[in-house]
Amino acid sequence: MKAGIVGLPNVGKSTLFNCLSNAKAQSANFPFCTIEPNVGVVNVPDPRIQVLEQLVNPEKVLPATVEIVDIAGLVKGASKGEGLGNQFLGNIRETDAILHVLRCFDNDNIVHVDNSVNPVRDKETIDIELQLKDLEAVEKKMDKTKRAAKTGNKEAQKELAVLETLQKGLEAAVSVRAIALSDDDRAAYVKPLQLITDKPVLYVCNVDESAAVSGNDYVNQVKKAVANEQADVLVLAVGTEADIAELEDYEERQLFLEDIGLEEAGASKLIRAAYALLDLQTYFTAGEKEVRAWTIPIGASAPQAAGVIHSDFEKGFIRAEVIAFTDYQTYQSEAKVKDAGKMRVEGKEYIVKDGDVMHFRFNV
């Protein structure tokens, strides 16, 4: 699953990417520093896997991951190809969720493409370009659907009505995710279009160190502007976080965080937020060979969870042996969990819970 970092040029996207992935994307004080998207695979911070490691003492530990894509800065006119806009918008379309970075700090030494700091204006600039690109895709689909609808095709007529709703909303500068449609219509007619503004979004307010804990007026303006979007807002001092990430010593990093009033790195919060934004959860397998976190959609059944390991596990699924993470932590070993009668046997209908520790029985 991919989350794409977007925003205007020079708002801190590549610095954030470096901070998250420890990759060294080029980061400099001029627009279009990033041309090709940088991709990093980032571990999802989860203290539960560390607990299981201590209890099981496996040969290796594999955490859950999210792929982060650093997409070059968009500018006004991107939907018409300005600033390599078509290429960059294509990169965004390939992601599953959007991390929208907004500049929420003053610094005369860092250039802003519009020569002033206004995160709400910047957000609207990006939104309009994404909406225009989606409008183009919707109208292209409408042209094809109209022909079928004119022949009396009921399904095409129903699809056309949804497309017209999308068109009306996008023309009014409303992102697809905020347009009122039924879940069935979204699944049948909207999802196949892979519209950019239908993707879930997390707004990342890039502040200076003094605002890392409580934010500032710019952050308050952003929160007010996105209040009706059902989107989260995360405050992050990206430059400071990047400095912290450069420190190799864990205790030194923690002291740095405490000095600025933070309990943990904001990057960790962001990765977890991206994971949640994608409607993902984690289950674990734990044995002497490895302790591993497996990523599944929220609501996945036991056979679907098994299929993440191998398709044969799903095809030949017989049952799952399930231990709640809290029980594993309480009783300290699988054997003691069994002795306490806390291991459950679940069938095909079982909906996996976040943190379940599971063994699968299957026959192919």
Side-chain angles (χ1 to χ4, degrees):
M1 303 292 277
K2 290 183 184 179
I5 302 174
V6 305
L8 289 174
N10 237 23
V11 295
K13 298 184 307 302
S14 294
T15 305
L16 175 61
F17 175 82
N18 289 339
C19 182
L20 292 174
S21 68
N22 290 327
K24 297 302 170 197
Q26 189 184 5
S27 175
N29 184 21
F30 57 89
F32 302 116
C33 177
T34 305
I35 301 298
E36 292 298 324
N38 296 293
V39 181
V41 178
V42 184
N43 292 340
V44 178
D46 191 335
R48 296 174 301 185
I49 202 167
Q50 295 163 348
V51 172
L52 290 172
E53 180 183 11
Q54 291 168 359
L55 295 176
V56 178
N57 194 26
E59 292 175 17
K60 61 181 178 179
V61 177
L62 295 167
T65 60
V66 172
E67 202 167 284
I68 303 291
V69 185
D70 174 24
I71 293 161
L74 294 167
V75 292
K76 197 176 293 183
S79 60
K80 303 299 180 188
E82 292 293 325
L84 300 179
N86 286 327
Q87 179 185 336
F88 300 165
L89 288 164
N91 294 333
I92 299 170
R93 196 178 297 283
E94 292 170 5
T95 66
D96 302 295
I98 294 172
L99 309 177
H100 188 160
V101 181
L102 296 166
R103 176 171 169 175
C104 294
F105 65 90
D106 293 306
N107 187 330
D108 293 338
N109 296 319
I110 298 178
V111 179
H112 190 290
V113 289
D114 289 325
N115 298 314
S116 62
V117 178
N118 184 334
V120 175
R121 176 202 60 206
D122 294 352
K123 171 197 169 308
E124 289 171 352
T125 297
I126 297 291
D127 282 351
I128 288 168
E129 297 307 320
L130 301 184
Q131 288 159 2
L132 286 171
K133 201 65 181 175
D134 279 351
L135 183 60
E136 184 183 301
V138 167
E139 290 178 341
K140 189 175 178 181
K141 181 67 174 175
M142 283 177 73
D143 289 341
K144 293 180 181 177
T145 309
K146 278 177 181 175
R147 290 194 291 271
K150 283 178 181 176
T151 66
N153 185 312
K154 298 291 185 186
E155 184 66 19
Q157 289 171 354
K158 191 174 179 184
E159 181 175 12
L160 184 60
V162 172
L163 292 171
E164 286 171 345
T165 300
L166 292 176
Q167 181 188 42
K168 187 177 178 182
L170 289 164
E171 286 177 342
V174 178
S175 292
V176 173
R177 73 180 76 87
I179 295 173
L181 290 167
S182 71
D183 290 343
D184 288 345
D185 284 346
R186 283 190 175 276
Y189 309 119
V190 181
K191 191 173 181 181
L193 295 175
Q194 292 185 297
L195 299 173
I196 299 170
T197 66
D198 191 36
K199 298 177 189 295
V201 62
L202 172 70
Y203 292 101
V204 182
C205 291
N206 182 13
V207 300
D208 56 25
E209 186 176 315
S210 64
V213 177
S214 54
N216 55 26
D217 286 343
Y218 291 134
V219 173
N220 294 336
Q221 290 167 25
V222 171
K223 287 181 177 178
K224 186 177 179 181
V226 307
N228 297 324
E229 287 193 33
Q230 297 179 325
D232 287 335
V233 176
L234 187 70
V235 178
L236 207 63
V238 174
T240 305
E241 293 278 348
D243 290 340
I244 293 170
E246 291 288 337
L247 300 172
E248 293 183 8
D249 184 75
Y250 174 78
E251 289 185 3
E252 203 175 345
R253 288 200 300 269
Q254 289 304 114
L255 285 171
F256 198 145
L257 288 167
E258 287 171 14
D259 282 347
I260 60 174
L262 297 174
E263 293 180 7
E264 67 170 341
S268 296
K269 292 179 188 173
L270 177 56
I271 296 164
R272 283 200 300 273
Y275 197 68
L277 194 63
L278 294 165
D279 282 334
L280 301 176
Q281 65 179 7
T282 302
Y283 79 87
F284 301 97
T285 51
E288 291 180 5
K289 290 286 184 185
E290 70 174 28
V291 165
R292 182 163 181 167
W294 299 90
T295 299
I296 55 172
I298 293 171
S301 66
Q304 288 170 331
V308 173
I309 299 176
H310 196 287
S311 58
D312 285 349
F313 283 33
E314 183 172 4
K315 290 174 188 172
F317 180 89
I318 299 171
R319 66 179 184 274
E321 296 170 356
V322 184
I323 302 170
F325 171 78
T326 51
D327 287 335
Y328 211 118
Q329 188 174 28
T330 298
Y331 293 98
Q332 303 280 295
S333 75
E334 187 176 306
K336 289 179 181 176
V337 169
K338 286 181 180 177
D339 290 342
K342 294 292 185 177
M343 177 182 279
R344 307 188 314 276
V345 176
E346 301 286 359
K348 292 182 178 180
E349 305 302 316
Y350 178 68
I351 302 301
V352 179
K353 296 178 177 61
D354 185 55
D356 279 349
V357 183
M358 306 183 76
H359 290 302
F360 298 105
R361 303 300 175 187
F362 69 101
N363 182 31
V364 177

